Amino acid sequence: MSEHVVIVGGGTGGTVLANDLADRLRGEIDDGDVRVTLINDDPDHVYKPVWLYVPFGQREPEDGRRRLETLVDDRIDLQIDRVTDIDTAEQRLECGNGAPIEYDHLVLATGSTLAPEEVPGLAEGGYNFYTESGSVALREELLSMTEGHLVLSVVGTPHMCPAAPLEFVFMADDWFRKRGLRSEIDITYTYPIQRVHGNPNIGSWAQPLMEERDINIETFFNAEEADPEAGTLTSMEGTELDYDLLVTIPPHRGIDLVSEAGLGDRGWVDVDKHTLEAEAAENVHAIGDTASTGVPNAGSVAHYQAGVVGQRIASEVRDRPATAIYDGKTLCFVETGMDEASFVEFDYENGPQPAPPSEKLHWAKLAYNESYWLTARGLL
Ligand SMILES: Cc1cc2nc3c(=O)[nH]c(=O)nc-3n(C[C@H](O)[C@H](O)[C@H](O)COP(=O)(O)OP(=O)(O)OC[C@H]3O[C@@H](n4cnc5c(N)ncnc54)[C@H](O)[C@@H]3O)c2cc1C
């Protein structure tokens, strides 16, 4: 009997992991001792960072989509299906179209979902660049905006790419300046806690940059309700903001199946932050956004975690102790305008020290976005 490794989710983490295992366990797979199945509910792999550039007319949503089958090694059994139930006691999954799938090792890489419905008025009153369709709709709004008040509100944390809301306001500021409209447009950024970012180092680096650029800041702002008719956003703390264009980072959740399987709250899997093993079940790992480790929900994190879990599963398959651990490594380029960026790298022990913004780092970010497709294939 071959051992069966099943990965649910063919986004950044799941795809990198599938290719990592295809390489690492090449011999065992070719000999029929191990099977690796990757299940994704979309035939396409979606690279979400592209959506930051769509509202500014720099990229199209299609630039962030590729057929998953072109990215995944032939040794992987790729199934386009939706997992509908996870039974960790029986080590079995139910899928939308097919027969139950039994696993020996399960990796959950099911990412984040948006939950704007958790705040009244948000779905109707706010735009966002956290979906393909949202980024396109926001592009139309930005293009037609010639005056008024743009409010960017970070509504819930954790959310994907903690840098992206900062990037958006820095880019919007520069984009309107370059088009000669900035003096007609106020920009306000709201954040739920007492600083502009969850990480204190990034917060104290970003705040002066925002002040220099006349970006208004509202901290301790936990959005309670948007009223699209009146054009207002109110916070639990009692602040009311008038807006002409509201851009939100909506609340995020994992997938319901995770909570239904008893693996964690709000769809996030409770894991050991070093081994990435699920706390509530045997033979289950989680990587990427769905793994609750306290590090940012970022593609770079999913990528590094995939490498760790690939090593751990290969060790387990070979009856060796699994010693690889995740050290919290996170890497991120942060756009600070339309043609300059900063860069941060940190882990559980060492906090981020944002690099001075430069054009070179902006080009490095764009170059990374292009080379991403090689990364997903496991070639970088
Ligand atoms: C606007 C924006 C900008 C970003 N910029 C950056 C950046 O610059 N740098 C960075 O590092 N990160 C960035 N990110 C974050 C990054 O995209 C995510 O953190 C990353 O995609 C997480 O990878 P993942 O594998 O955990 O999940 P995902 O890549 O989201 O993949 C999850 C996959 O699981 C599938 N799935 C879900 N449920 C099921 C099911 N029941 N059955 C089968 N399949 C299922 C989904 O369809 C999806 O394919 C950005 C995100 C956004 C929205």
Side-chain angles (χ1 to χ4, degrees), residues 8-14 39-41 48-49 51-52 81-83 109-111 129-130 160-161 255 257 287-289 297-300 302 365:
V8 185
T12 300
I39 309 172
N40 195 52
D41 58 1
K48 298 173 177 175
W51 301 339
L52 173 65
D81 206 343
R82 182 161 186 80
V83 172
T110 44
F129 56 97
Y130 269 48
M160 288 180 278
C161 193
I255 58 166
L257 293 185
I287 57 174
D289 292 0
N297 287 354
S300 62
K365 174 152 183 158

PDB file of all heavy atoms in Angstrom, residues 8-14 39-41 48-49 51-52 81-83 109-111 129-130 160-161 255 257 287-289 297-300 302 365, ligand 1:
ATOM      1  N   VAL A   8      -4.820  20.147   0.430  1.00  0.00           N
ATOM      2  CA  VAL A   8      -6.052  20.841   0.031  1.00  0.00           C
ATOM      3  C   VAL A   8      -5.720  22.315  -0.163  1.00  0.00           C
ATOM      4  O   VAL A   8      -5.274  22.983   0.776  1.00  0.00           O
ATOM      5  CB  VAL A   8      -7.173  20.688   1.082  1.00  0.00           C
ATOM      6  CG1 VAL A   8      -8.463  21.321   0.555  1.00  0.00           C
ATOM      7  CG2 VAL A   8      -7.393  19.236   1.437  1.00  0.00           C
ATOM      8  N   GLY A   9      -5.937  22.810  -1.384  1.00  0.00           N
ATOM      9  CA  GLY A   9      -5.658  24.213  -1.698  1.00  0.00           C
ATOM     10  C   GLY A   9      -4.458  24.320  -2.626  1.00  0.00           C
ATOM     11  O   GLY A   9      -3.340  23.975  -2.233  1.00  0.00           O
ATOM     12  N   GLY A  10      -4.698  24.791  -3.838  1.00  0.00           N
ATOM     13  CA  GLY A  10      -3.624  24.937  -4.828  1.00  0.00           C
ATOM     14  C   GLY A  10      -3.290  26.391  -5.068  1.00  0.00           C
ATOM     15  O   GLY A  10      -3.109  26.833  -6.209  1.00  0.00           O
ATOM     16  N   GLY A  11      -3.222  27.179  -3.994  1.00  0.00           N
ATOM     17  CA  GLY A  11      -2.722  28.551  -4.082  1.00  0.00           C
ATOM     18  C   GLY A  11      -1.209  28.514  -3.879  1.00  0.00           C
ATOM     19  O   GLY A  11      -0.542  27.514  -4.201  1.00  0.00           O
ATOM     20  N   THR A  12      -0.674  29.583  -3.309  1.00  0.00           N
ATOM     21  CA  THR A  12       0.783  29.673  -3.167  1.00  0.00           C
ATOM     22  C   THR A  12       1.346  28.512  -2.352  1.00  0.00           C
ATOM     23  O   THR A  12       2.242  27.787  -2.807  1.00  0.00           O
ATOM     24  CB  THR A  12       1.150  31.018  -2.503  1.00  0.00           C
ATOM     25  OG1 THR A  12       0.675  32.057  -3.345  1.00  0.00           O
ATOM     26  CG2 THR A  12       2.645  31.159  -2.324  1.00  0.00           C
ATOM     27  N   GLY A  13       0.834  28.321  -1.136  1.00  0.00           N
ATOM     28  CA  GLY A  13       1.403  27.296  -0.254  1.00  0.00           C
ATOM     29  C   GLY A  13       1.239  25.895  -0.826  1.00  0.00           C
ATOM     30  O   GLY A  13       2.204  25.115  -0.888  1.00  0.00           O
ATOM     31  N   GLY A  14       0.026  25.550  -1.252  1.00  0.00           N
ATOM     32  CA  GLY A  14      -0.255  24.190  -1.713  1.00  0.00           C
ATOM     33  C   GLY A  14       0.522  23.843  -2.971  1.00  0.00           C
ATOM     34  O   GLY A  14       1.023  22.718  -3.115  1.00  0.00           O
ATOM     35  N   ILE A  39      -5.666  18.997  -4.237  1.00  0.00           N
ATOM     36  CA  ILE A  39      -7.073  19.283  -4.570  1.00  0.00           C
ATOM     37  C   ILE A  39      -7.289  20.791  -4.505  1.00  0.00           C
ATOM     38  O   ILE A  39      -7.017  21.422  -3.483  1.00  0.00           O
ATOM     39  CB  ILE A  39      -8.034  18.614  -3.562  1.00  0.00           C
ATOM     40  CG1 ILE A  39      -7.703  17.130  -3.384  1.00  0.00           C
ATOM     41  CG2 ILE A  39      -9.492  18.780  -4.005  1.00  0.00           C
ATOM     42  CD1 ILE A  39      -8.486  16.461  -2.257  1.00  0.00           C
ATOM     43  N   ASN A  40      -7.771  21.351  -5.604  1.00  0.00           N
ATOM     44  CA  ASN A  40      -8.084  22.789  -5.608  1.00  0.00           C
ATOM     45  C   ASN A  40      -9.458  22.976  -6.237  1.00  0.00           C
ATOM     46  O   ASN A  40      -9.827  22.267  -7.171  1.00  0.00           O
ATOM     47  CB  ASN A  40      -7.033  23.571  -6.402  1.00  0.00           C
ATOM     48  CG  ASN A  40      -7.106  25.060  -6.126  1.00  0.00           C
ATOM     49  OD1 ASN A  40      -7.081  25.479  -4.963  1.00  0.00           O
ATOM     50  ND2 ASN A  40      -7.206  25.872  -7.162  1.00  0.00           N
ATOM     51  N   ASP A  41     -10.199  23.943  -5.734  1.00  0.00           N
ATOM     52  CA  ASP A  41     -11.568  24.114  -6.226  1.00  0.00           C
ATOM     53  C   ASP A  41     -11.657  25.032  -7.442  1.00  0.00           C
ATOM     54  O   ASP A  41     -12.749  25.420  -7.844  1.00  0.00           O
ATOM     55  CB  ASP A  41     -12.483  24.619  -5.094  1.00  0.00           C
ATOM     56  CG  ASP A  41     -12.003  25.932  -4.501  1.00  0.00           C
ATOM     57  OD1 ASP A  41     -10.971  26.472  -4.957  1.00  0.00           O
ATOM     58  OD2 ASP A  41     -12.661  26.418  -3.566  1.00  0.00           O
ATOM     59  N   LYS A  48      -2.554  36.666  -6.045  1.00  0.00           N
ATOM     60  CA  LYS A  48      -3.328  37.826  -5.594  1.00  0.00           C
ATOM     61  C   LYS A  48      -2.571  39.156  -5.579  1.00  0.00           C
ATOM     62  O   LYS A  48      -3.203  40.216  -5.725  1.00  0.00           O
ATOM     63  CB  LYS A  48      -3.897  37.527  -4.199  1.00  0.00           C
ATOM     64  CG  LYS A  48      -4.840  36.342  -4.203  1.00  0.00           C
ATOM     65  CD  LYS A  48      -5.264  35.951  -2.789  1.00  0.00           C
ATOM     66  CE  LYS A  48      -6.256  34.808  -2.821  1.00  0.00           C
ATOM     67  NZ  LYS A  48      -6.594  34.333  -1.458  1.00  0.00           N
ATOM     68  N   PRO A  49      -1.242  39.176  -5.349  1.00  0.00           N
ATOM     69  CA  PRO A  49      -0.552  40.479  -5.297  1.00  0.00           C
ATOM     70  C   PRO A  49      -0.765  41.359  -6.531  1.00  0.00           C
ATOM     71  O   PRO A  49      -0.643  42.587  -6.440  1.00  0.00           O
ATOM     72  CB  PRO A  49       0.920  40.076  -5.116  1.00  0.00           C
ATOM     73  CG  PRO A  49       0.840  38.803  -4.318  1.00  0.00           C
ATOM     74  CD  PRO A  49      -0.350  38.073  -4.899  1.00  0.00           C
ATOM     75  N   TRP A  51      -3.475  42.163  -7.766  1.00  0.00           N
ATOM     76  CA  TRP A  51      -4.676  42.996  -7.584  1.00  0.00           C
ATOM     77  C   TRP A  51      -4.355  44.386  -7.042  1.00  0.00           C
ATOM     78  O   TRP A  51      -5.134  45.321  -7.237  1.00  0.00           O
ATOM     79  CB  TRP A  51      -5.683  42.307  -6.643  1.00  0.00           C
ATOM     80  CG  TRP A  51      -6.138  40.966  -7.135  1.00  0.00           C
ATOM     81  CD1 TRP A  51      -6.094  40.498  -8.420  1.00  0.00           C
ATOM     82  CD2 TRP A  51      -6.699  39.911  -6.360  1.00  0.00           C
ATOM     83  NE1 TRP A  51      -6.587  39.218  -8.477  1.00  0.00           N
ATOM     84  CE2 TRP A  51      -6.970  38.832  -7.233  1.00  0.00           C
ATOM     85  CE3 TRP A  51      -7.011  39.765  -5.003  1.00  0.00           C
ATOM     86  CZ2 TRP A  51      -7.528  37.634  -6.795  1.00  0.00           C
ATOM     87  CZ3 TRP A  51      -7.569  38.571  -4.561  1.00  0.00           C
ATOM     88  CH2 TRP A  51      -7.826  37.516  -5.448  1.00  0.00           C
ATOM     89  N   LEU A  52      -3.206  44.552  -6.370  1.00  0.00           N
ATOM     90  CA  LEU A  52      -2.832  45.878  -5.864  1.00  0.00           C
ATOM     91  C   LEU A  52      -2.656  46.869  -7.017  1.00  0.00           C
ATOM     92  O   LEU A  52      -2.891  48.064  -6.868  1.00  0.00           O
ATOM     93  CB  LEU A  52      -1.511  45.770  -5.066  1.00  0.00           C
ATOM     94  CG  LEU A  52      -0.865  47.070  -4.586  1.00  0.00           C
ATOM     95  CD1 LEU A  52      -1.754  47.779  -3.551  1.00  0.00           C
ATOM     96  CD2 LEU A  52       0.514  46.794  -3.981  1.00  0.00           C
ATOM     97  N   ASP A  81     -11.573  20.050  -7.571  1.00  0.00           N
ATOM     98  CA  ASP A  81     -12.755  19.643  -6.814  1.00  0.00           C
ATOM     99  C   ASP A  81     -12.799  20.485  -5.538  1.00  0.00           C
ATOM    100  O   ASP A  81     -11.802  21.085  -5.147  1.00  0.00           O
ATOM    101  CB  ASP A  81     -12.626  18.147  -6.455  1.00  0.00           C
ATOM    102  CG  ASP A  81     -13.995  17.498  -6.254  1.00  0.00           C
ATOM    103  OD1 ASP A  81     -14.982  18.242  -6.071  1.00  0.00           O
ATOM    104  OD2 ASP A  81     -14.061  16.263  -6.278  1.00  0.00           O
ATOM    105  N   ARG A  82     -13.957  20.482  -4.913  1.00  0.00           N
ATOM    106  CA  ARG A  82     -14.068  21.242  -3.671  1.00  0.00           C
ATOM    107  C   ARG A  82     -14.189  20.258  -2.516  1.00  0.00           C
ATOM    108  O   ARG A  82     -15.064  19.379  -2.536  1.00  0.00           O
ATOM    109  CB  ARG A  82     -15.302  22.144  -3.723  1.00  0.00           C
ATOM    110  CG  ARG A  82     -15.449  22.993  -2.504  1.00  0.00           C
ATOM    111  CD  ARG A  82     -16.358  24.187  -2.719  1.00  0.00           C
ATOM    112  NE  ARG A  82     -16.312  25.027  -1.523  1.00  0.00           N
ATOM    113  CZ  ARG A  82     -15.342  25.884  -1.238  1.00  0.00           C
ATOM    114  NH1 ARG A  82     -14.344  26.042  -2.072  1.00  0.00           N
ATOM    115  NH2 ARG A  82     -15.356  26.579  -0.119  1.00  0.00           N
ATOM    116  N   VAL A  83     -13.313  20.360  -1.547  1.00  0.00           N
ATOM    117  CA  VAL A  83     -13.430  19.513  -0.348  1.00  0.00           C
ATOM    118  C   VAL A  83     -14.606  20.033   0.464  1.00  0.00           C
ATOM    119  O   VAL A  83     -14.716  21.237   0.720  1.00  0.00           O
ATOM    120  CB  VAL A  83     -12.106  19.542   0.459  1.00  0.00           C
ATOM    121  CG1 VAL A  83     -12.276  18.838   1.799  1.00  0.00           C
ATOM    122  CG2 VAL A  83     -10.999  18.903  -0.355  1.00  0.00           C
ATOM    123  N   ALA A 109      -4.119  24.023   3.060  1.00  0.00           N
ATOM    124  CA  ALA A 109      -3.535  25.276   2.517  1.00  0.00           C
ATOM    125  C   ALA A 109      -4.662  26.034   1.837  1.00  0.00           C
ATOM    126  O   ALA A 109      -4.562  26.411   0.673  1.00  0.00           O
ATOM    127  CB  ALA A 109      -2.411  24.941   1.547  1.00  0.00           C
ATOM    128  N   THR A 110      -5.730  26.232   2.587  1.00  0.00           N
ATOM    129  CA  THR A 110      -6.980  26.714   1.988  1.00  0.00           C
ATOM    130  C   THR A 110      -7.139  28.242   2.044  1.00  0.00           C
ATOM    131  O   THR A 110      -8.174  28.757   1.616  1.00  0.00           O
ATOM    132  CB  THR A 110      -8.182  26.037   2.662  1.00  0.00           C
ATOM    133  OG1 THR A 110      -7.964  26.030   4.081  1.00  0.00           O
ATOM    134  CG2 THR A 110      -8.340  24.605   2.192  1.00  0.00           C
ATOM    135  N   GLY A 111      -6.144  28.943   2.554  1.00  0.00           N
ATOM    136  CA  GLY A 111      -6.131  30.398   2.422  1.00  0.00           C
ATOM    137  C   GLY A 111      -7.189  31.136   3.238  1.00  0.00           C
ATOM    138  O   GLY A 111      -7.755  30.625   4.196  1.00  0.00           O
ATOM    139  N   PHE A 129      -9.689  45.974  -3.014  1.00  0.00           N
ATOM    140  CA  PHE A 129      -8.827  45.398  -4.059  1.00  0.00           C
ATOM    141  C   PHE A 129      -8.369  44.013  -3.628  1.00  0.00           C
ATOM    142  O   PHE A 129      -7.335  43.541  -4.069  1.00  0.00           O
ATOM    143  CB  PHE A 129      -7.641  46.334  -4.363  1.00  0.00           C
ATOM    144  CG  PHE A 129      -6.797  46.684  -3.159  1.00  0.00           C
ATOM    145  CD1 PHE A 129      -5.631  45.992  -2.881  1.00  0.00           C
ATOM    146  CD2 PHE A 129      -7.185  47.700  -2.294  1.00  0.00           C
ATOM    147  CE1 PHE A 129      -4.852  46.301  -1.770  1.00  0.00           C
ATOM    148  CE2 PHE A 129      -6.429  48.020  -1.176  1.00  0.00           C
ATOM    149  CZ  PHE A 129      -5.260  47.323  -0.914  1.00  0.00           C
ATOM    150  N   TYR A 130      -9.157  43.356  -2.784  1.00  0.00           N
ATOM    151  CA  TYR A 130      -8.798  42.028  -2.270  1.00  0.00           C
ATOM    152  C   TYR A 130      -9.514  40.900  -3.013  1.00  0.00           C
ATOM    153  O   TYR A 130      -9.470  39.748  -2.596  1.00  0.00           O
ATOM    154  CB  TYR A 130      -9.071  41.967  -0.764  1.00  0.00           C
ATOM    155  CG  TYR A 130      -7.852  42.387   0.042  1.00  0.00           C
ATOM    156  CD1 TYR A 130      -7.142  43.538  -0.271  1.00  0.00           C
ATOM    157  CD2 TYR A 130      -7.390  41.615   1.104  1.00  0.00           C
ATOM    158  CE1 TYR A 130      -6.016  43.909   0.445  1.00  0.00           C
ATOM    159  CE2 TYR A 130      -6.263  41.966   1.827  1.00  0.00           C
ATOM    160  CZ  TYR A 130      -5.578  43.124   1.492  1.00  0.00           C
ATOM    161  OH  TYR A 130      -4.450  43.485   2.207  1.00  0.00           O
ATOM    162  N   MET A 160      -4.960  39.389   4.697  1.00  0.00           N
ATOM    163  CA  MET A 160      -3.869  39.070   3.782  1.00  0.00           C
ATOM    164  C   MET A 160      -2.979  40.290   3.585  1.00  0.00           C
ATOM    165  O   MET A 160      -3.468  41.414   3.476  1.00  0.00           O
ATOM    166  CB  MET A 160      -4.433  38.663   2.410  1.00  0.00           C
ATOM    167  CG  MET A 160      -5.090  37.314   2.395  1.00  0.00           C
ATOM    168  SD  MET A 160      -5.726  36.904   0.755  1.00  0.00           S
ATOM    169  CE  MET A 160      -7.287  37.768   0.733  1.00  0.00           C
ATOM    170  N   CYS A 161      -1.693  40.034   3.520  1.00  0.00           N
ATOM    171  CA  CYS A 161      -0.680  41.043   3.234  1.00  0.00           C
ATOM    172  C   CYS A 161      -0.858  42.313   4.072  1.00  0.00           C
ATOM    173  O   CYS A 161      -1.404  43.312   3.599  1.00  0.00           O
ATOM    174  CB  CYS A 161      -0.663  41.410   1.756  1.00  0.00           C
ATOM    175  SG  CYS A 161       0.819  42.351   1.351  1.00  0.00           S
ATOM    176  N   ILE A 255     -11.673  28.863   6.099  1.00  0.00           N
ATOM    177  CA  ILE A 255     -12.879  28.222   5.557  1.00  0.00           C
ATOM    178  C   ILE A 255     -13.625  27.523   6.692  1.00  0.00           C
ATOM    179  O   ILE A 255     -13.016  27.016   7.641  1.00  0.00           O
ATOM    180  CB  ILE A 255     -12.575  27.231   4.402  1.00  0.00           C
ATOM    181  CG1 ILE A 255     -11.626  26.118   4.829  1.00  0.00           C
ATOM    182  CG2 ILE A 255     -12.027  27.972   3.188  1.00  0.00           C
ATOM    183  CD1 ILE A 255     -11.568  24.963   3.841  1.00  0.00           C
ATOM    184  N   LEU A 257     -15.033  24.703   6.922  1.00  0.00           N
ATOM    185  CA  LEU A 257     -14.733  23.284   7.133  1.00  0.00           C
ATOM    186  C   LEU A 257     -13.726  23.063   8.254  1.00  0.00           C
ATOM    187  O   LEU A 257     -13.782  22.069   8.971  1.00  0.00           O
ATOM    188  CB  LEU A 257     -14.120  22.672   5.867  1.00  0.00           C
ATOM    189  CG  LEU A 257     -14.963  22.548   4.621  1.00  0.00           C
ATOM    190  CD1 LEU A 257     -14.181  21.818   3.556  1.00  0.00           C
ATOM    191  CD2 LEU A 257     -16.244  21.828   4.963  1.00  0.00           C
ATOM    192  N   ILE A 287      -0.506  25.220   6.365  1.00  0.00           N
ATOM    193  CA  ILE A 287       0.478  26.216   5.918  1.00  0.00           C
ATOM    194  C   ILE A 287      -0.244  27.426   5.334  1.00  0.00           C
ATOM    195  O   ILE A 287      -1.404  27.341   4.934  1.00  0.00           O
ATOM    196  CB  ILE A 287       1.453  25.644   4.864  1.00  0.00           C
ATOM    197  CG1 ILE A 287       0.707  25.088   3.647  1.00  0.00           C
ATOM    198  CG2 ILE A 287       2.346  24.573   5.467  1.00  0.00           C
ATOM    199  CD1 ILE A 287       1.629  24.645   2.502  1.00  0.00           C
ATOM    200  N   GLY A 288       0.481  28.538   5.276  1.00  0.00           N
ATOM    201  CA  GLY A 288      -0.072  29.736   4.654  1.00  0.00           C
ATOM    202  C   GLY A 288      -1.095  30.409   5.545  1.00  0.00           C
ATOM    203  O   GLY A 288      -1.073  30.281   6.774  1.00  0.00           O
ATOM    204  N   ASP A 289      -1.993  31.136   4.903  1.00  0.00           N
ATOM    205  CA  ASP A 289      -2.945  31.959   5.655  1.00  0.00           C
ATOM    206  C   ASP A 289      -3.710  31.148   6.685  1.00  0.00           C
ATOM    207  O   ASP A 289      -4.038  31.640   7.771  1.00  0.00           O
ATOM    208  CB  ASP A 289      -3.969  32.599   4.706  1.00  0.00           C
ATOM    209  CG  ASP A 289      -3.355  33.642   3.778  1.00  0.00           C
ATOM    210  OD1 ASP A 289      -2.138  33.884   3.863  1.00  0.00           O
ATOM    211  OD2 ASP A 289      -4.109  34.205   2.971  1.00  0.00           O
ATOM    212  N   ASN A 297      -0.245  37.008   7.078  1.00  0.00           N
ATOM    213  CA  ASN A 297      -0.819  36.176   6.020  1.00  0.00           C
ATOM    214  C   ASN A 297      -0.226  36.662   4.707  1.00  0.00           C
ATOM    215  O   ASN A 297      -0.732  37.593   4.086  1.00  0.00           O
ATOM    216  CB  ASN A 297      -2.345  36.314   5.990  1.00  0.00           C
ATOM    217  CG  ASN A 297      -3.004  35.614   7.156  1.00  0.00           C
ATOM    218  OD1 ASN A 297      -2.329  34.927   7.933  1.00  0.00           O
ATOM    219  ND2 ASN A 297      -4.295  35.754   7.286  1.00  0.00           N
ATOM    220  N   ALA A 298       0.869  36.030   4.322  1.00  0.00           N
ATOM    221  CA  ALA A 298       1.607  36.503   3.140  1.00  0.00           C
ATOM    222  C   ALA A 298       2.067  35.314   2.313  1.00  0.00           C
ATOM    223  O   ALA A 298       2.325  34.226   2.851  1.00  0.00           O
ATOM    224  CB  ALA A 298       2.808  37.335   3.566  1.00  0.00           C
ATOM    225  N   GLY A 299       2.199  35.553   1.017  1.00  0.00           N
ATOM    226  CA  GLY A 299       2.634  34.491   0.125  1.00  0.00           C
ATOM    227  C   GLY A 299       4.034  34.001   0.484  1.00  0.00           C
ATOM    228  O   GLY A 299       4.325  32.806   0.384  1.00  0.00           O
ATOM    229  N   SER A 300       4.903  34.928   0.909  1.00  0.00           N
ATOM    230  CA  SER A 300       6.269  34.501   1.251  1.00  0.00           C
ATOM    231  C   SER A 300       6.232  33.531   2.422  1.00  0.00           C
ATOM    232  O   SER A 300       6.986  32.551   2.463  1.00  0.00           O
ATOM    233  CB  SER A 300       7.137  35.723   1.583  1.00  0.00           C
ATOM    234  OG  SER A 300       6.642  36.406   2.708  1.00  0.00           O
ATOM    235  N   ALA A 302       3.703  31.518   3.206  1.00  0.00           N
ATOM    236  CA  ALA A 302       3.177  30.240   2.697  1.00  0.00           C
ATOM    237  C   ALA A 302       4.293  29.461   2.003  1.00  0.00           C
ATOM    238  O   ALA A 302       4.425  28.244   2.165  1.00  0.00           O
ATOM    239  CB  ALA A 302       2.023  30.511   1.732  1.00  0.00           C
ATOM    240  N   LYS A 365      10.472  44.499  -6.630  1.00  0.00           N
ATOM    241  CA  LYS A 365       9.135  43.940  -6.355  1.00  0.00           C
ATOM    242  C   LYS A 365       8.470  43.522  -7.669  1.00  0.00           C
ATOM    243  O   LYS A 365       7.893  42.440  -7.759  1.00  0.00           O
ATOM    244  CB  LYS A 365       8.268  44.957  -5.598  1.00  0.00           C
ATOM    245  CG  LYS A 365       6.829  44.475  -5.419  1.00  0.00           C
ATOM    246  CD  LYS A 365       6.114  45.017  -4.207  1.00  0.00           C
ATOM    247  CE  LYS A 365       4.715  44.414  -4.106  1.00  0.00           C
ATOM    248  NZ  LYS A 365       4.101  44.436  -2.818  1.00  0.00           N
TER     249      LYS A 365
HETATM  250  C1  LIG B   1      -4.136  42.596  -2.789  1.00  0.00           C
HETATM  251  C2  LIG B   1      -3.179  41.593  -2.191  1.00  0.00           C
HETATM  252  C3  LIG B   1      -1.818  41.820  -2.258  1.00  0.00           C
HETATM  253  C4  LIG B   1      -0.938  40.906  -1.713  1.00  0.00           C
HETATM  254  N1  LIG B   1       0.398  41.167  -1.799  1.00  0.00           N
HETATM  255  C5  LIG B   1       1.289  40.289  -1.274  1.00  0.00           C
HETATM  256  C6  LIG B   1       2.692  40.536  -1.377  1.00  0.00           C
HETATM  257  O1  LIG B   1       3.134  41.537  -1.950  1.00  0.00           O
HETATM  258  N2  LIG B   1       3.521  39.636  -0.811  1.00  0.00           N
HETATM  259  C7  LIG B   1       3.068  38.520  -0.178  1.00  0.00           C
HETATM  260  O2  LIG B   1       3.891  37.731   0.325  1.00  0.00           O
HETATM  261  N3  LIG B   1       1.745  38.260  -0.063  1.00  0.00           N
HETATM  262  C8  LIG B   1       0.842  39.107  -0.603  1.00  0.00           C
HETATM  263  N4  LIG B   1      -0.498  38.861  -0.504  1.00  0.00           N
HETATM  264  C9  LIG B   1      -0.981  37.718   0.308  1.00  0.00           C
HETATM  265  C10 LIG B   1      -0.923  36.393  -0.424  1.00  0.00           C
HETATM  266  O3  LIG B   1      -1.594  36.461  -1.670  1.00  0.00           O
HETATM  267  C11 LIG B   1      -1.579  35.310   0.427  1.00  0.00           C
HETATM  268  O4  LIG B   1      -1.097  35.403   1.741  1.00  0.00           O
HETATM  269  C12 LIG B   1      -1.225  33.940  -0.150  1.00  0.00           C
HETATM  270  O5  LIG B   1      -1.920  33.768  -1.375  1.00  0.00           O
HETATM  271  C13 LIG B   1      -1.592  32.837   0.832  1.00  0.00           C
HETATM  272  O6  LIG B   1      -1.307  31.598   0.239  1.00  0.00           O
HETATM  273  P1  LIG B   1      -2.153  30.322   0.673  1.00  0.00           P
HETATM  274  O7  LIG B   1      -1.572  29.167  -0.067  1.00  0.00           O
HETATM  275  O8  LIG B   1      -2.265  30.252   2.133  1.00  0.00           O
HETATM  276  O9  LIG B   1      -3.627  30.632   0.153  1.00  0.00           O
HETATM  277  P2  LIG B   1      -4.155  30.962  -1.324  1.00  0.00           P
HETATM  278  O10 LIG B   1      -3.038  31.362  -2.212  1.00  0.00           O
HETATM  279  O11 LIG B   1      -5.279  31.915  -1.146  1.00  0.00           O
HETATM  280  O12 LIG B   1      -4.722  29.571  -1.843  1.00  0.00           O
HETATM  281  C14 LIG B   1      -5.799  28.917  -1.210  1.00  0.00           C
HETATM  282  C15 LIG B   1      -6.369  27.942  -2.234  1.00  0.00           C
HETATM  283  O13 LIG B   1      -7.271  27.028  -1.579  1.00  0.00           O
HETATM  284  C16 LIG B   1      -8.381  26.812  -2.418  1.00  0.00           C
HETATM  285  N5  LIG B   1      -9.474  26.305  -1.582  1.00  0.00           N
HETATM  286  C17 LIG B   1     -10.102  26.943  -0.556  1.00  0.00           C
HETATM  287  N6  LIG B   1     -11.055  26.145  -0.023  1.00  0.00           N
HETATM  288  C18 LIG B   1     -11.010  24.969  -0.713  1.00  0.00           C
HETATM  289  C19 LIG B   1     -11.759  23.750  -0.631  1.00  0.00           C
HETATM  290  N7  LIG B   1     -12.728  23.576   0.277  1.00  0.00           N
HETATM  291  N8  LIG B   1     -11.474  22.744  -1.497  1.00  0.00           N
HETATM  292  C20 LIG B   1     -10.492  22.904  -2.439  1.00  0.00           C
HETATM  293  N9  LIG B   1      -9.753  24.043  -2.560  1.00  0.00           N
HETATM  294  C21 LIG B   1     -10.015  25.069  -1.703  1.00  0.00           C
HETATM  295  C22 LIG B   1      -8.603  28.211  -3.029  1.00  0.00           C
HETATM  296  O14 LIG B   1      -9.365  28.175  -4.206  1.00  0.00           O
HETATM  297  C23 LIG B   1      -7.177  28.642  -3.311  1.00  0.00           C
HETATM  298  O15 LIG B   1      -6.730  28.201  -4.590  1.00  0.00           O
HETATM  299  C24 LIG B   1      -1.428  39.734  -1.073  1.00  0.00           C
HETATM  300  C25 LIG B   1      -2.802  39.498  -1.023  1.00  0.00           C
HETATM  301  C26 LIG B   1      -3.677  40.407  -1.577  1.00  0.00           C
HETATM  302  C27 LIG B   1      -5.167  40.139  -1.516  1.00  0.00           C
END
